[in-house]
Every structure is written in structure tokens, then in C-alpha cells.
Amino acid sequence: MTAALRKSAAGPARPKVAHADSRLPQILDAAARLFCAQGYQGTTIRDIAQAVGILPGSLYCHFATKEDLLVAVYTRGVDQICGAVQAAVEPLDDPWTRLEAACVAHLEAILRDDDYARVVVRVRPADVVAANQRLVQERDRYEALWAGLTDALPLPRRSDRKALRLLLLGALNWAQNWYRPDGPSSPRSLARQFMALLRQGTEARS
Amino acid sequence: MTAALRKSAAGPARPKVAHADSRLPQILDAAARLFCAQGYQGTTIRDIAQAVGILPGSLYCHFATKEDLLVAVYTRGVDQICGAVQAAVEPLDDPWTRLEAACVAHLEAILRDDDYARVVVRVRPADVVAANQRLVQERDRYEALWAGLTDALPLPRRSDRKALRLLLLGALNWAQNWYRPDGPSSPRSLARQFMALLRQGTEARS
Amino acid sequence: MTAALRKSAAGPARPKVAHADSRLPQILDAAARLFCAQGYQGTTIRDIAQAVGILPGSLYCHFATKEDLLVAVYTRGVDQICGAVQAAVEPLDDPWTRLEAACVAHLEAILRDDDYARVVVRVRPADVVAANQRLVQERDRYEALWAGLTDALPLPRRSDRKALRLLLLGALNWAQNWYRPDGPSSPRSLARQFMALLRQGTEARS
Amino acid sequence: MTAALRKSAAGPARPKVAHADSRLPQILDAAARLFCAQGYQGTTIRDIAQAVGILPGSLYCHFATKEDLLVAVYTRGVDQICGAVQAAVEPLDDPWTRLEAACVAHLEAILRDDDYARVVVRVRPADVVAANQRLVQERDRYEALWAGLTDALPLPRRSDRKALRLLLLGALNWAQNWYRPDGPSSPRSLARQFMALLRQGTEARS
DNA sequence: AATGAATGAGACTTCATTCAT
DNA sequence: AATGAATGAAGTCTCATTCAT
């Protein structure tokens, strides 16, 4: 509890104690890596501690529970994927171009670049009963970003824009289940293929 | 299995075969229900046994390990979703119409009708190390069915047909993560919305 | 219980039902083989049943408990090793020659020829709490035979004859722990070596 | 092990090292006592934990598996019996006298003094499949000591010296199966009796 | 901030045995 | 004499978590 309390009590005035060598970053990194490699339930506190080189009990100096650790990783994952998408989208104007850039950024993050972002897709809130709410809340932050992107599309019906978002995000996320980095297509080309199918339509036109 | 064999060997003169009241079907049903409600790792042998009304150890009369039980449920899930999709598709001729019918059948199975089919989407092979191969093999059976459906589409490039399949199946499967049965749209209408977006394309046409 | 009761109630008048094909001999053989290969506690009822080709429960048609089965095997082991030793000894007269023949017969039985006899040495009564008494009783039958052999030796002191028996039998039995059938010496030559050491003495004589 | 290390690193100024009250010694003692009273398979983790006054799971702070615990006990048993025999033998010169002293020390250890040493004779490597190799290796350490003792005997043939060792050690070890501490002879007198038989020979001399 | 030992609950699984058929 | 399903007790081991040091 102490760690958690201290955390939430920490104001902006915090003097930044000289613990630059703290193991907290290492812990987060290891947790992110392991959660996305083995899943949340498949990863033990021992695994993480061992990866960092400390004892299991020592983790509780930084996190009150395993779920808190997950929430921290997950939150940072949402932060980072939000950042990646926003950075990719920002310089662009055209709604479709922006959406495609978002797809590329998203897919590169969850398939290749970022263990934290990967966790956001890998770990289902439904699998972590007690932290479910907090995870859903985080995920919603990210979905709101996407809602902004799809809402900007020149589609007549609101329902189409929503369906498009669900269709696209679902397809991208599910790629984690079958994508192999040594396969023929990169995350980028994959994202573009998906977008192309959606923009041009697949039916023959007269 | 022996029970099943003896059953089918029983002549027509014997109306009620011995051990016809085996609890094996109940076990499978309970396992399917619990696996898809709580996940594989979130479901204990005790949970399943209790749901059936037997002792945990008694499960091992029917399955050697928890993973074997999962494989049995999963296999039947693939059987059933294959059956549902094939039944939906069979009377139809047009490739697009067939694909849409498949989407509807798939979505209805994994969102509403069928605990077994649900498990196929809910449980990731990657989360069950020792049975991973067997699960992937089963899942591939189902994907082959879809490959047949998309390959029949009048699309110029092979790569487009494959991408379309991955896009569509991913989007449908991911729906398990956000779909609420008490929401506004049914699995059927959802499937049709997705298909419409894909067929007509989303870009404004001149 | 029924099996046990029936057994002990069986008088000599028993009409020998025409069950020549009964599986009882097979069961005993398999049990002897497995008990001496894996030990008593290391052998399960399932192992034995499977070796015979029946179901575990079916064993209880023949034996009331696993320990009863052990006692049956053990008893027959004592019978057989007694028989083997007596047969080897009978035609001989000289006490030392008789003792050596006994050693050879004993060692051949417990190292090479006879799974039943092997069990007598392999399974310690101390390891089978509930049947301990019955096993000790059986073992004593065999030791009595040896007492006869050593008592006939022309040694001055009674205590020497007893010590000799314990020394010899212990050394022979322990051979089960190190003897390898593909090694350089046969059970027979081994027995003779041991006897030679004991008869001639090892100390240099003036 | 870490505790032990820290202990030895502790300077003389600190009289009571942290964790000096570890229960590891108690665990080993209890395990030795129980393994030799009930056998390895007859002793449960619960038995040992209860004897120490901790929970079964707590044993796994010190040993990864039950077999590792056995190996630890066994190894220490070999250490101790080696030590006892070497101490008994060291001040002596005559090969026969040394051998007799070794017999006495061995028998006192495995029959009376030392639970650890007792385990070395009580538990057969063959009964503990997974740790078999490690146990055999330990036992061989001890046998090498004996080989040294018998090789020093003034016997003409090498094969005689080896046979003598096997005969003697086997007879001594097997005593665990019949020796009763309240009986007429002590381990010491027993060892001497055995040695006397072997040295002088049993056959009448002219 | 970290350690090392311990907890307590519970996980999967095994196994001798029973019993209706 | 045998089956097949079930029992009930127990077995080893895992794991998140705690806490004095």
C-alpha cells in the first residue's frame, strides 16, 4: 500500500530524489516484455523479479499488487501508442491520409516496436477481473483518439464511421494473433493493404 | 471414447445403452461455458467439476489433463462453427452473398449462440503452451474454410483476397472484446455493416 | 473383501471351476515383474492392470487390496526360492558344499531367474506398513531354511553360525543393488567367490 | 546458501547474524529422520513440514523439489559417514585393523548414530528415478573410500579384494533390515564378528 | 530499496478403492 | 470376471503477498 499511496500523493513539487538508478524503469520494461510474451496470467512475479535481478518480494517496494503493475504498464502503453499515432497524424491534413498514417503507426507499435503498446492489445481487460475497470478506462482513452480520426471522414452516416472504426481497429489488433515478423509483409504495408481495401471497395464497379 | 464406441455398436434392439447417462457431455458443456466466460487460465478444474456436480478428480476419468479437455472443447468448437458457416453458405451461389452469410453465421456463433465456438475465439493458442500446436491445427481447419470463400471472390489479385480474409476475420473475432448483447445492433446487422463497408468502399466516388 | 473372504474360506474340496483361462496367473506375473522393476510403492494398480490388459477395478475381482496382491506375490516368491534352494541342496551331503549350492541357487534366483524371488529381496517389509507382519512371517520361513544349513556347519560356536548366516545372506541380497547382468561375473561365480573368501579366510597364515 | 554466505562474511563484532535462526537445519534433520524411518516415498512433504512446524509450501523456500531435499540429506549423509570412517581409520596403520575400524564406524553410523548416514543405506537410488544419478554419484564417493581400504589388504588377487569389499559392505548395509538396537549385540561387536569370520576363515584347519 | 523466509490458499493431478451394471 | 465411472483423500508444487530485518 505504501508505494501506491506515495505515488498518488506525489505532487508536482516532488524534489526528485537522487534515485536515478532506481530499478523502477527496469521493472516496467521487464514486465512489459513478459506480459506481452507470456500473457498476464502466464507471467509470475518471480519471472519479472528474476528478469530484473531482484527478489520477488522486492517488487512490492514499487507496486502494491501485480495488478497495479499491470495497470502501470498498460497505462504507459496507452500513452505511448497515443503518442505514436498522434505524432504520425499531426503533420497531415487529409482525413483519409491521417487515418492511414494512424493505422501504420498503430500496427508498427503493436507488432514491432513497443512492448508497452503490445500489452494494451495482448492483455484483455476481461482476463484481469480486479483491474478490469481501470484497463477499460485506459483503453477508452485510445479509442477516443480513433473516434476523432474516423469522425473526420467524409462519410454520410455516423454509424458508418463507427463501424469503420471497429472494423479497422479489430482487424489491426487481431493481427497480433497471426503476424510473423519474418513474413512477407511489414506492418506498414499491411496497414496500407487494409486501408486500400476499405477505401476503394472490393466490388467490381461499372 | 470407449463408451462412445460401445454406444454406436449397440444394436437397435437395445434402446438405452449402458452408461448412456455419462457425464461427459455435461463436462464438455460446463467447460465450454466456463472457458469462454473466464478464460482458460481463469477456470479451474474445481470450477468445472463443481458445475457438473462431481469431484475434481473425477474429471480425470474423461480427460488426462486440463489441456486435453480444452482441446476437446476447442475441437468441437471448430466443428460447430465450421458446420454453422457451411450450412449458411451452402444454398447460396454468389461469392459475395456466400461471404456475407459466412460473416453472419460466424458472428452469431461467437457472440451469441455457441459456447464451443466462442472458446475458439476466446482462447489464444499462445496462452496454452503445451496444447498450442493442436489448437493452431484446429484453427487452421477453420481458416481453410474461409480461404475457400475469399478465393472465390472476383478480385484481381491473390494478395487482395488474402488481405480481405485477414481483415474480415480479425474484425469479426475482435468483436468479442467489445460486443454487448444488449446493445443496439445484432450480430447479423453488424456483419452486414462490415460487409457493406468492404464491398462498396468508403471513398467518395466521382 | 469378497475376494479375500472367498479365498480364505476355500477348502481343499474346491471343485476347481473350469477357469483355466483365468487371468490370475497373468496378474501375479505382471505384479511380480513390476514390483521388482519399480518397487512396491512405485508400481500402481493401473500399471499392473494395463500390463495384463484389464481395467484397474477388475483387479479387485482377484485381490481385495494392493497389499494382498503383494503378499500373494511375496509368498510365492518365498515358495519358489525355498524350492530352488532345497532342490539345489538336496542331493548333497557335505555341509559346506550344501551351503555353497544354496548361495548359488539364491543368487541365481534373485539376480536372474525369478521375478517372484526377486520381490522378496527387493521389497522391504518395513516399506509396507499394513502387510509388514505377513511379509516378515514369510521371510522368516526362508531364513529358517538357511538356519538349517548354517547350523549344520562344523563351527564351534552357535554365535558364529548365526553371524555367518547374517553375513552371507546380507551380502547376497545386497548384490541386487549393484549387480549388472552384463558384467563380468555370473551369479554363480559370484556366490562361489564369496564362499571361498569365507571358507579359507583372508588372513595370511603361517 | 546465501544465508550461509552472509553468515561467514559477518564480522566478529556482530554476535547474532540475521537469519541465523533459519529453519534449514531443522528441515534437514527432520527430513533425515523421517526418510530413514518411513522411506523416501513413505514420507510426505507435509510430514516434514509438520515436524519442523512450518507450512508445506514453505519448504520450497529452501528446496525446489522433494528430490532436491533428498539429495541434500543424502549428500550430507555421505559426507558424515565418510568423515566417521576416515576419523576412525586415520590413526591406524595396519590394513586389517583399519578395515575393522571402518566396519565398526560404518555400522555404528547406519544403525545407531546418524540419521543422515542411515538414509544413504535406507534409500535406494533406484527408487528415486529423477535423482537416481546424483545419488549414485554420491554413493560412489563413499565406495571409493572403501576401495582404498580393501586395496591396501595383503591379498594376492585384485578380484579377491573387490569381492571382499562387496561382501563386507553388503553384509553391513543389509543389517539395517534386521538389526534391533535392543538386541544382544552392539554394532561394534557385530562388525567385529563379521571381520573375525572373514579374517580367520571358517573352515577347519589342520 | 531490498532481502529472505514464511504464509495461506489453491492449483493440477494421482491413486487405491468402490459399485452398479 | 469384468467394466467404466466415480470417490475421497492425499500428493507435490505454485504463487501473490507479507514482514521483520
Side-chain angles (χ1 to χ4, degrees), chain B residues 10 15 32 49 60 92 104 120 136 145 166-167 171 180 185:
Chain B
Y60 291 82
L92 305 172
V104 170
V120 177
V136 168
L145 188 70
L166 293 170
L167 174 63
R180 298 287 167 262
S185 38

Side-chain angles (χ1 to χ4, degrees), chain A residues 37-39 41-42 96 120-124 126-127 139 143 154-155 157 159-160 162-164 166-174 176-178 184 190 193-195 197-205, chain B residues 37-39 41-42 96 120-124 126-127 139 143 154-155 157 159-160 162-164 166-174 176-178 184 190 193-195 197-205:
Chain A
Q38 317 173 2
Q41 328 206 49
W96 281 110
V120 177
V121 175
R122 172 64 144 94
V123 176
R124 294 182 212 230
D127 283 349
R139 182 171 282 190
E143 305 238 340
L155 292 182
R157 276 170 305 189
S159 70
D160 278 353
K162 185 182 173 195
L164 179 65
L166 293 170
L167 174 62
L168 204 44
L169 260 181
L172 295 177
N173 287 338
W174 193 262
Q176 251 194 10
N177 286 323
W178 53 262
L190 201 62
Q193 256 185 306
F194 280 4
M195 279 301 295
L197 284 173
L198 269 168
R199 291 179 72 174
Q200 299 149 22
T202 45
E203 215 164 39
R205 305 175 183 186
Chain B
Q38 315 172 5
Q41 329 207 49
W96 282 108
V120 177
V121 175
R122 173 63 144 92
V123 175
R124 293 181 213 231
D127 283 349
R139 182 170 283 189
E143 305 239 339
L155 292 183
R157 278 171 305 190
S159 69
D160 280 352
K162 187 182 172 195
L164 178 64
L166 293 170
L167 174 63
L168 203 45
L169 261 181
L172 296 176
N173 287 338
W174 193 263
Q176 251 194 10
N177 286 323
W178 52 261
L190 201 60
Q193 255 185 305
F194 280 3
M195 278 300 294
L197 283 173
L198 269 168
R199 292 179 70 174
Q200 299 150 23
T202 45
E203 213 163 41
R205 306 177 185 185

